[in-house]
Amino acid sequence: MDRQKRLPLSLHILAWNANGLRYKRDELQELLFREAVDVALISETHLNAGITTRIPGYTIHRSDRQTGQGGGTAIFVKNDLEHHEIQSPPLLHVETNAVIVNTRSAGALKLVSVYKAPQEPFDEQELDLIFDIATPTIVAGDLNAKHPSWNSRTTNPYGRRLYDFASRRAILVEGPVEPTHFPPGDHRPDVLDIALFKNVALHHHISTAAELSSDHNPITIRLGGAVPPAQHLLRLTNWRAYRDTIATALPPVPIINTTDQLDEAVALITTTINRAIAASTTTRAKDDWDPLALTDIIKELIRDKNRARREYQRSRDPADKAELNRLEREVKTSIWNHRNEQWRQKVESLNPDDGSLWTMSRYLRKKRPRLPPLHGPFGVAYTDADKAEALADSLEAQCSPVYEHLDEAHIQRVHSHVRRQLAVPPPDRIPHTTAGEVRNFLTHLKIRKAPGPDGIPNRALILLPKKGVAHLVAIYNATLRLRHFPTAWKCADVIQVLKPGKPENIPASYRPISLLCALGKTLERIVLARLEREVEALNLLPSHQFGFRARHSTTQQALRVVEHITEGFTRKEHTGGLFLDISKAFDSVWHRGLLYKLLRGGVSLPMVHLLASFLQPLQVVQNRFLRLAVNAPWFVRNEQLHREFNIATVREYMRDAAARFMRTTQDHPNPDIQDAWAYDVAGIRRHKRPKCSL
């Protein structure tokens, strides 16, 4: 699951012409961490598809030059910033890539890294495509345009055209006071790296510093007021304190007689456990994380290199340039040796006994792809919300039954049979659970599993005292008795995992992984144990089915097939095999047909009622959309939302709609419709409502 994203009040932006980034990444990483840079706009990266570059703690968005060498742009954004990449328009003379960063002070802010080669012409139409009419935009980089209005010492034709263009478009162009480009030889230093602002209302300050190894100095843009860097909190739970807290915080075991009381009991136990966890959890600021962890000697060497860089930029003396080159090579070699030594020590510390070797192997083999823009049914999705909608639409299409070559008469029979059976209150009940069974299921929960929407980790359930287990027994037995699966336990947090070999920009290429509430999964195991006993007693599963059955492994199935083939050989017979793989067989199962098969197979009516409650999605979907629309916290009941916002449930709406329709039929001029309204109420159990005339 993704970490909570941050909406900053201010931004620290760095723009730099790297003139080749591949061997300067370590220097850039040290500067980003030292200066707490939020976004870095890099031009002239000289990267291609075969070169991978990443900086820990940052997400990189690249746009490499497709033809020829050189060029290319990149943007590094801190992982905890809420942002997304947007597609740059096709341009011939300017190289760009852009991201949208969401802030608390200015809303959505568009940041563009730009580079225009000196030989490329100045095209105003391409610049118009870069700037968004509505979104505040900052474009920073090297446009090879000089003009005194942004502190250049001289002017050139590109600078004059950019100045005229910016004046007509109400675009502010700024550069630092000090030069940013120091060409070799006797060429005069000047300001080439600039920033263009459009519709940006925040205060900003631009400066430059003699840092990094390039013929360009980086420029920094501080946007907004001075705000201390955000602290990342580390939460530590004292599980011994939690055990004592939950033992005293639990209320008396509830008495549950209705489905509303069942949902209230689920909400109460969830709230109590979460409050006990919060009371037993302490927070502290995380220590500053520096993946390089440079030694004091290397840090002093970097300071010496920066001093030599400033001295050369002041004097332009060849001897100072030679000293700067020597220090730059020494810094690069020192950082490279330091990284190799760090890796050597890490490899030597790996131990197969404590699991560190397996952890490192899994980390190195794990691919961490970034979710690209998705091509949904309504266009390309760039933002996280639009991507979620595109993935949801794809899941809905995949999990819907396939309505092709239908037997409508059979479907009508199935629906009628299931409807009649579910309308009859079952005389029997599902066998209740016990505290021992619930404790056994809780004990076998895996601690390292991620929690579901309720946020309760498995460790908290394992440490529940006897009173907490008694609460769960009361809830689970009420579920079995009332044949109603709690609504809160039907929700899940869905994580999308890319299928191997599938395109990344298609929503159907992702496999959903649902994180369910552990309390709900425990109830599912209880129901499954009773369902399996009924299925085994009725002998519903054929002997040759090995999937989803206890003590039936795939190895045994393979041995069975081999034995069957061997018997054919002894009888001098040919054996043919037919292997079928039904696409989306589980996702698109027909729920009514499944209940129909259970009923025809002899499964008890109370069990079918409970499974029908588990599979009933319509009201859950309405409640889910309502909760998202009003941003309701998880502990607020659905009934309270319907009552406060005066929104009828699906059942109430259908009942009222039917009542309104029947009221209008009594005065209808058609006598058949009048007869439909005046049906015999007393004979409702013996006669069907004449639906055909309606």
Side-chain angles (χ1 to χ4, degrees), residues 328-361:
E328 286 181 348
R329 289 193 298 268
E330 190 172 352
V331 166
K332 184 183 299 183
T333 303
S334 299
I335 295 179
W336 181 264
N337 293 335
H338 174 72
R339 289 174 63 92
N340 289 338
E341 179 64 20
Q342 278 186 315
W343 179 247
R344 185 189 64 80
Q345 294 177 0
K346 181 65 177 178
V347 172
E348 290 179 352
S349 66
L350 298 179
N351 188 351
D353 297 331
D354 61 5
S356 59
L357 179 61
W358 164 247
T359 301
M360 176 59 70
S361 174

mmCIF file of all heavy atoms in Angstrom, residues 328-361:
data_model
loop_
_atom_site.group_PDB
_atom_site.id
_atom_site.type_symbol
_atom_site.label_atom_id
_atom_site.label_comp_id
_atom_site.label_asym_id
_atom_site.label_seq_id
_atom_site.Cartn_x
_atom_site.Cartn_y
_atom_site.Cartn_z
ATOM 1 N N GLU A 328 37.315 17.505 -8.672
ATOM 2 C CA GLU A 328 36.114 16.837 -9.152
ATOM 3 C C GLU A 328 36.363 15.349 -9.369
ATOM 4 O O GLU A 328 35.515 14.503 -9.002
ATOM 5 C CB GLU A 328 35.623 17.482 -10.444
ATOM 6 C CG GLU A 328 34.956 18.837 -10.246
ATOM 7 C CD GLU A 328 34.468 19.428 -11.557
ATOM 8 O OE1 GLU A 328 34.853 18.898 -12.632
ATOM 9 O OE2 GLU A 328 33.711 20.415 -11.532
ATOM 10 N N ARG A 329 37.511 15.015 -9.949
ATOM 11 C CA ARG A 329 37.844 13.599 -10.124
ATOM 12 C C ARG A 329 38.029 12.911 -8.772
ATOM 13 O O ARG A 329 37.612 11.761 -8.587
ATOM 14 C CB ARG A 329 39.116 13.473 -10.964
ATOM 15 C CG ARG A 329 38.956 13.843 -12.432
ATOM 16 C CD ARG A 329 40.154 13.393 -13.244
ATOM 17 N NE ARG A 329 41.365 14.059 -12.790
ATOM 18 C CZ ARG A 329 41.835 15.211 -13.295
ATOM 19 N NH1 ARG A 329 41.160 15.827 -14.271
ATOM 20 N NH2 ARG A 329 42.952 15.746 -12.849
ATOM 21 N N GLU A 330 38.633 13.605 -7.829
ATOM 22 C CA GLU A 330 38.848 13.013 -6.513
ATOM 23 C C GLU A 330 37.528 12.783 -5.783
ATOM 24 O O GLU A 330 37.342 11.748 -5.127
ATOM 25 C CB GLU A 330 39.770 13.909 -5.684
ATOM 26 C CG GLU A 330 40.232 13.263 -4.397
ATOM 27 C CD GLU A 330 41.288 14.103 -3.692
ATOM 28 O OE1 GLU A 330 41.764 15.098 -4.284
ATOM 29 O OE2 GLU A 330 41.619 13.758 -2.533
ATOM 30 N N VAL A 331 36.612 13.752 -5.905
ATOM 31 C CA VAL A 331 35.299 13.583 -5.265
ATOM 32 C C VAL A 331 34.560 12.403 -5.884
ATOM 33 O O VAL A 331 33.990 11.562 -5.179
ATOM 34 C CB VAL A 331 34.488 14.879 -5.385
ATOM 35 C CG1 VAL A 331 33.018 14.625 -5.033
ATOM 36 C CG2 VAL A 331 35.064 15.956 -4.492
ATOM 37 N N LYS A 332 34.579 12.326 -7.215
ATOM 38 C CA LYS A 332 33.873 11.236 -7.893
ATOM 39 C C LYS A 332 34.461 9.883 -7.495
ATOM 40 O O LYS A 332 33.723 8.921 -7.207
ATOM 41 C CB LYS A 332 33.968 11.434 -9.403
ATOM 42 C CG LYS A 332 33.186 10.407 -10.212
ATOM 43 C CD LYS A 332 33.392 10.631 -11.704
ATOM 44 C CE LYS A 332 32.906 11.991 -12.139
ATOM 45 N NZ LYS A 332 33.040 12.177 -13.616
ATOM 46 N N THR A 333 35.792 9.786 -7.438
ATOM 47 C CA THR A 333 36.431 8.525 -7.070
ATOM 48 C C THR A 333 36.156 8.170 -5.610
ATOM 49 O O THR A 333 35.901 7.000 -5.281
ATOM 50 C CB THR A 333 37.944 8.623 -7.311
ATOM 51 O OG1 THR A 333 38.188 8.962 -8.680
ATOM 52 C CG2 THR A 333 38.628 7.305 -6.986
ATOM 53 N N SER A 334 36.159 9.170 -4.751
ATOM 54 C CA SER A 334 35.937 8.906 -3.327
ATOM 55 C C SER A 334 34.523 8.405 -3.080
ATOM 56 O O SER A 334 34.317 7.447 -2.314
ATOM 57 C CB SER A 334 36.202 10.173 -2.513
ATOM 58 O OG SER A 334 37.536 10.606 -2.662
ATOM 59 N N ILE A 335 33.545 9.035 -3.713
ATOM 60 C CA ILE A 335 32.158 8.585 -3.530
ATOM 61 C C ILE A 335 31.973 7.186 -4.108
ATOM 62 O O ILE A 335 31.301 6.331 -3.524
ATOM 63 C CB ILE A 335 31.189 9.582 -4.176
ATOM 64 C CG1 ILE A 335 31.247 10.932 -3.449
ATOM 65 C CG2 ILE A 335 29.763 9.041 -4.166
ATOM 66 C CD1 ILE A 335 30.338 11.987 -4.049
ATOM 67 N N TRP A 336 32.598 6.923 -5.261
ATOM 68 C CA TRP A 336 32.485 5.602 -5.881
ATOM 69 C C TRP A 336 33.085 4.526 -4.971
ATOM 70 O O TRP A 336 32.479 3.471 -4.750
ATOM 71 C CB TRP A 336 33.187 5.633 -7.231
ATOM 72 C CG TRP A 336 33.117 4.331 -7.976
ATOM 73 C CD1 TRP A 336 34.067 3.347 -7.995
ATOM 74 C CD2 TRP A 336 32.049 3.855 -8.795
ATOM 75 N NE1 TRP A 336 33.670 2.296 -8.781
ATOM 76 C CE2 TRP A 336 32.425 2.583 -9.288
ATOM 77 C CE3 TRP A 336 30.829 4.382 -9.178
ATOM 78 C CZ2 TRP A 336 31.617 1.833 -10.127
ATOM 79 C CZ3 TRP A 336 30.006 3.646 -10.008
ATOM 80 C CH2 TRP A 336 30.398 2.386 -10.471
ATOM 81 N N ASN A 337 34.270 4.789 -4.422
ATOM 82 C CA ASN A 337 34.897 3.824 -3.515
ATOM 83 C C ASN A 337 34.073 3.657 -2.242
ATOM 84 O O ASN A 337 33.979 2.545 -1.694
ATOM 85 C CB ASN A 337 36.325 4.269 -3.176
ATOM 86 C CG ASN A 337 37.250 4.217 -4.383
ATOM 87 O OD1 ASN A 337 37.021 3.456 -5.338
ATOM 88 N ND2 ASN A 337 38.292 5.041 -4.367
ATOM 89 N N HIS A 338 33.488 4.755 -1.767
ATOM 90 C CA HIS A 338 32.668 4.672 -0.552
ATOM 91 C C HIS A 338 31.434 3.803 -0.784
ATOM 92 O O HIS A 338 31.082 2.981 0.073
ATOM 93 C CB HIS A 338 32.266 6.088 -0.125
ATOM 94 C CG HIS A 338 31.309 6.117 1.029
ATOM 95 N ND1 HIS A 338 31.680 5.809 2.317
ATOM 96 C CD2 HIS A 338 29.970 6.420 1.081
ATOM 97 C CE1 HIS A 338 30.636 5.914 3.117
ATOM 98 N NE2 HIS A 338 29.591 6.276 2.391
ATOM 99 N N ARG A 339 30.787 3.969 -1.920
ATOM 100 C CA ARG A 339 29.615 3.146 -2.229
ATOM 101 C C ARG A 339 30.010 1.665 -2.356
ATOM 102 O O ARG A 339 29.283 0.778 -1.869
ATOM 103 C CB ARG A 339 28.957 3.625 -3.520
ATOM 104 C CG ARG A 339 28.239 4.960 -3.378
ATOM 105 C CD ARG A 339 27.736 5.432 -4.723
ATOM 106 N NE ARG A 339 26.752 4.511 -5.274
ATOM 107 C CZ ARG A 339 25.434 4.628 -5.090
ATOM 108 N NH1 ARG A 339 24.950 5.625 -4.375
ATOM 109 N NH2 ARG A 339 24.597 3.763 -5.619
ATOM 110 N N ASN A 340 31.146 1.397 -2.998
ATOM 111 C CA ASN A 340 31.595 0.005 -3.115
ATOM 112 C C ASN A 340 31.915 -0.597 -1.753
ATOM 113 O O ASN A 340 31.611 -1.773 -1.493
ATOM 114 C CB ASN A 340 32.818 -0.078 -4.026
ATOM 115 C CG ASN A 340 32.470 0.186 -5.484
ATOM 116 O OD1 ASN A 340 31.319 0.041 -5.895
ATOM 117 N ND2 ASN A 340 33.459 0.584 -6.268
ATOM 118 N N GLU A 341 32.504 0.188 -0.867
ATOM 119 C CA GLU A 341 32.808 -0.314 0.465
ATOM 120 C C GLU A 341 31.527 -0.575 1.258
ATOM 121 O O GLU A 341 31.435 -1.574 1.998
ATOM 122 C CB GLU A 341 33.694 0.698 1.206
ATOM 123 C CG GLU A 341 34.065 0.309 2.627
ATOM 124 C CD GLU A 341 34.913 -0.958 2.692
ATOM 125 O OE1 GLU A 341 35.530 -1.320 1.666
ATOM 126 O OE2 GLU A 341 34.946 -1.580 3.770
ATOM 127 N N GLN A 342 30.536 0.330 1.108
ATOM 128 C CA GLN A 342 29.245 0.099 1.762
ATOM 129 C C GLN A 342 28.617 -1.212 1.285
ATOM 130 O O GLN A 342 28.099 -1.992 2.090
ATOM 131 C CB GLN A 342 28.289 1.263 1.471
ATOM 132 C CG GLN A 342 28.470 2.479 2.342
ATOM 133 C CD GLN A 342 27.385 3.507 2.075
ATOM 134 O OE1 GLN A 342 27.056 3.796 0.923
ATOM 135 N NE2 GLN A 342 26.831 4.052 3.138
ATOM 136 N N TRP A 343 28.664 -1.439 -0.017
ATOM 137 C CA TRP A 343 28.066 -2.657 -0.567
ATOM 138 C C TRP A 343 28.841 -3.899 -0.117
ATOM 139 O O TRP A 343 28.242 -4.936 0.182
ATOM 140 C CB TRP A 343 28.028 -2.561 -2.083
ATOM 141 C CG TRP A 343 27.457 -3.768 -2.753
ATOM 142 C CD1 TRP A 343 28.118 -4.654 -3.556
ATOM 143 C CD2 TRP A 343 26.122 -4.258 -2.661
ATOM 144 N NE1 TRP A 343 27.286 -5.643 -3.979
ATOM 145 C CE2 TRP A 343 26.034 -5.429 -3.448
ATOM 146 C CE3 TRP A 343 24.977 -3.815 -2.006
ATOM 147 C CZ2 TRP A 343 24.877 -6.160 -3.580
ATOM 148 C CZ3 TRP A 343 23.816 -4.540 -2.136
ATOM 149 C CH2 TRP A 343 23.765 -5.702 -2.917
ATOM 150 N N ARG A 344 30.162 -3.792 -0.058
ATOM 151 C CA ARG A 344 30.959 -4.941 0.392
ATOM 152 C C ARG A 344 30.610 -5.303 1.833
ATOM 153 O O ARG A 344 30.417 -6.483 2.171
ATOM 154 C CB ARG A 344 32.455 -4.629 0.265
ATOM 155 C CG ARG A 344 33.367 -5.809 0.604
ATOM 156 C CD ARG A 344 34.823 -5.372 0.667
ATOM 157 N NE ARG A 344 35.026 -4.429 1.755
ATOM 158 C CZ ARG A 344 35.164 -4.786 3.040
ATOM 159 N NH1 ARG A 344 35.112 -6.067 3.381
ATOM 160 N NH2 ARG A 344 35.346 -3.872 3.966
ATOM 161 N N GLN A 345 30.515 -4.300 2.687
ATOM 162 C CA GLN A 345 30.165 -4.565 4.083
ATOM 163 C C GLN A 345 28.755 -5.143 4.205
ATOM 164 O O GLN A 345 28.505 -6.020 5.042
ATOM 165 C CB GLN A 345 30.288 -3.284 4.912
ATOM 166 C CG GLN A 345 31.704 -2.757 5.029
ATOM 167 C CD GLN A 345 31.769 -1.451 5.791
ATOM 168 O OE1 GLN A 345 30.742 -0.924 6.253
ATOM 169 N NE2 GLN A 345 32.972 -0.895 5.938
ATOM 170 N N LYS A 346 27.856 -4.659 3.373
ATOM 171 C CA LYS A 346 26.484 -5.168 3.422
ATOM 172 C C LYS A 346 26.427 -6.632 3.001
ATOM 173 O O LYS A 346 25.750 -7.450 3.641
ATOM 174 C CB LYS A 346 25.593 -4.320 2.508
ATOM 175 C CG LYS A 346 24.128 -4.746 2.493
ATOM 176 C CD LYS A 346 23.490 -4.527 3.851
ATOM 177 C CE LYS A 346 22.020 -4.874 3.812
ATOM 178 N NZ LYS A 346 21.375 -4.713 5.139
ATOM 179 N N VAL A 347 27.138 -6.974 1.938
ATOM 180 C CA VAL A 347 27.132 -8.359 1.461
ATOM 181 C C VAL A 347 27.773 -9.281 2.496
ATOM 182 O O VAL A 347 27.279 -10.390 2.749
ATOM 183 C CB VAL A 347 27.850 -8.445 0.101
ATOM 184 C CG1 VAL A 347 28.031 -9.903 -0.314
ATOM 185 C CG2 VAL A 347 27.059 -7.695 -0.964
ATOM 186 N N GLU A 348 28.856 -8.837 3.118
ATOM 187 C CA GLU A 348 29.515 -9.682 4.105
ATOM 188 C C GLU A 348 28.671 -9.880 5.360
ATOM 189 O O GLU A 348 28.829 -10.869 6.073
ATOM 190 C CB GLU A 348 30.872 -9.072 4.482
ATOM 191 C CG GLU A 348 31.906 -9.134 3.374
ATOM 192 C CD GLU A 348 33.227 -8.507 3.791
ATOM 193 O OE1 GLU A 348 33.263 -7.896 4.897
ATOM 194 O OE2 GLU A 348 34.202 -8.618 3.033
ATOM 195 N N SER A 349 27.768 -8.933 5.642
ATOM 196 C CA SER A 349 26.933 -9.054 6.849
ATOM 197 C C SER A 349 25.717 -9.943 6.642
ATOM 198 O O SER A 349 25.024 -10.259 7.611
ATOM 199 C CB SER A 349 26.464 -7.661 7.292
ATOM 200 O OG SER A 349 25.584 -7.097 6.325
ATOM 201 N N LEU A 350 25.422 -10.339 5.394
ATOM 202 C CA LEU A 350 24.251 -11.171 5.138
ATOM 203 C C LEU A 350 24.441 -12.556 5.734
ATOM 204 O O LEU A 350 25.506 -13.152 5.616
ATOM 205 C CB LEU A 350 23.992 -11.269 3.632
ATOM 206 C CG LEU A 350 23.682 -9.955 2.912
ATOM 207 C CD1 LEU A 350 23.474 -10.194 1.428
ATOM 208 C CD2 LEU A 350 22.452 -9.276 3.516
ATOM 209 N N ASN A 351 23.372 -13.040 6.364
ATOM 210 C CA ASN A 351 23.437 -14.332 7.059
ATOM 211 C C ASN A 351 22.201 -15.144 6.699
ATOM 212 O O ASN A 351 21.075 -14.665 6.877
ATOM 213 C CB ASN A 351 23.501 -14.106 8.570
ATOM 214 C CG ASN A 351 23.754 -15.393 9.318
ATOM 215 O OD1 ASN A 351 23.724 -16.484 8.755
ATOM 216 N ND2 ASN A 351 24.027 -15.271 10.619
ATOM 217 N N PRO A 352 22.366 -16.352 6.181
ATOM 218 C CA PRO A 352 21.180 -17.150 5.837
ATOM 219 C C PRO A 352 20.382 -17.604 7.060
ATOM 220 O O PRO A 352 19.216 -17.962 6.942
ATOM 221 C CB PRO A 352 21.768 -18.355 5.087
ATOM 222 C CG PRO A 352 23.189 -18.428 5.541
ATOM 223 C CD PRO A 352 23.615 -17.035 5.831
ATOM 224 N N ASP A 353 21.003 -17.577 8.258
ATOM 225 C CA ASP A 353 20.307 -18.057 9.453
ATOM 226 C C ASP A 353 19.279 -17.048 9.967
ATOM 227 O O ASP A 353 18.212 -17.441 10.441
ATOM 228 C CB ASP A 353 21.319 -18.383 10.558
ATOM 229 C CG ASP A 353 22.258 -19.514 10.156
ATOM 230 O OD1 ASP A 353 21.831 -20.373 9.345
ATOM 231 O OD2 ASP A 353 23.414 -19.529 10.622
ATOM 232 N N ASP A 354 19.598 -15.744 9.916
ATOM 233 C CA ASP A 354 18.660 -14.733 10.430
ATOM 234 C C ASP A 354 17.722 -14.175 9.364
ATOM 235 O O ASP A 354 16.949 -13.254 9.638
ATOM 236 C CB ASP A 354 19.422 -13.586 11.091
ATOM 237 C CG ASP A 354 20.360 -12.874 10.119
ATOM 238 O OD1 ASP A 354 20.349 -13.220 8.911
ATOM 239 O OD2 ASP A 354 21.103 -11.988 10.560
ATOM 240 N N GLY A 355 17.779 -14.702 8.134
ATOM 241 C CA GLY A 355 16.864 -14.265 7.085
ATOM 242 C C GLY A 355 17.316 -13.054 6.309
ATOM 243 O O GLY A 355 16.636 -12.636 5.365
ATOM 244 N N SER A 356 18.446 -12.437 6.681
ATOM 245 C CA SER A 356 18.891 -11.231 5.980
ATOM 246 C C SER A 356 19.290 -11.526 4.542
ATOM 247 O O SER A 356 19.085 -10.695 3.653
ATOM 248 C CB SER A 356 20.062 -10.596 6.728
ATOM 249 O OG SER A 356 21.147 -11.506 6.822
ATOM 250 N N LEU A 357 19.862 -12.716 4.294
ATOM 251 C CA LEU A 357 20.247 -13.070 2.924
ATOM 252 C C LEU A 357 19.011 -13.187 2.034
ATOM 253 O O LEU A 357 18.988 -12.691 0.899
ATOM 254 C CB LEU A 357 21.032 -14.379 2.933
ATOM 255 C CG LEU A 357 21.493 -14.891 1.557
ATOM 256 C CD1 LEU A 357 22.415 -13.894 0.899
ATOM 257 C CD2 LEU A 357 22.180 -16.254 1.699
ATOM 258 N N TRP A 358 17.959 -13.838 2.550
ATOM 259 C CA TRP A 358 16.736 -13.978 1.768
ATOM 260 C C TRP A 358 16.065 -12.621 1.552
ATOM 261 O O TRP A 358 15.549 -12.334 0.481
ATOM 262 C CB TRP A 358 15.788 -14.943 2.466
ATOM 263 C CG TRP A 358 14.380 -14.867 1.964
ATOM 264 C CD1 TRP A 358 13.289 -14.437 2.636
ATOM 265 C CD2 TRP A 358 13.924 -15.214 0.648
ATOM 266 N NE1 TRP A 358 12.172 -14.491 1.852
ATOM 267 C CE2 TRP A 358 12.539 -14.971 0.612
ATOM 268 C CE3 TRP A 358 14.546 -15.705 -0.495
ATOM 269 C CZ2 TRP A 358 11.762 -15.202 -0.510
ATOM 270 C CZ3 TRP A 358 13.764 -15.931 -1.627
ATOM 271 C CH2 TRP A 358 12.402 -15.683 -1.629
ATOM 272 N N THR A 359 16.099 -11.749 2.567
ATOM 273 C CA THR A 359 15.500 -10.422 2.431
ATOM 274 C C THR A 359 16.194 -9.621 1.338
ATOM 275 O O THR A 359 15.548 -8.975 0.507
ATOM 276 C CB THR A 359 15.573 -9.681 3.774
ATOM 277 O OG1 THR A 359 14.884 -10.435 4.769
ATOM 278 C CG2 THR A 359 14.931 -8.304 3.658
ATOM 279 N N MET A 360 17.524 -9.650 1.328
ATOM 280 C CA MET A 360 18.267 -8.917 0.295
ATOM 281 C C MET A 360 18.024 -9.520 -1.080
ATOM 282 O O MET A 360 17.869 -8.792 -2.067
ATOM 283 C CB MET A 360 19.756 -8.936 0.628
ATOM 284 C CG MET A 360 20.639 -8.284 -0.421
ATOM 285 S SD MET A 360 20.218 -6.538 -0.721
ATOM 286 C CE MET A 360 20.770 -5.815 0.827
ATOM 287 N N SER A 361 17.984 -10.847 -1.176
ATOM 288 C CA SER A 361 17.730 -11.485 -2.466
ATOM 289 C C SER A 361 16.347 -11.115 -2.996
ATOM 290 O O SER A 361 16.186 -10.817 -4.186
ATOM 291 C CB SER A 361 17.854 -12.996 -2.322
ATOM 292 O OG SER A 361 17.485 -13.654 -3.515
#
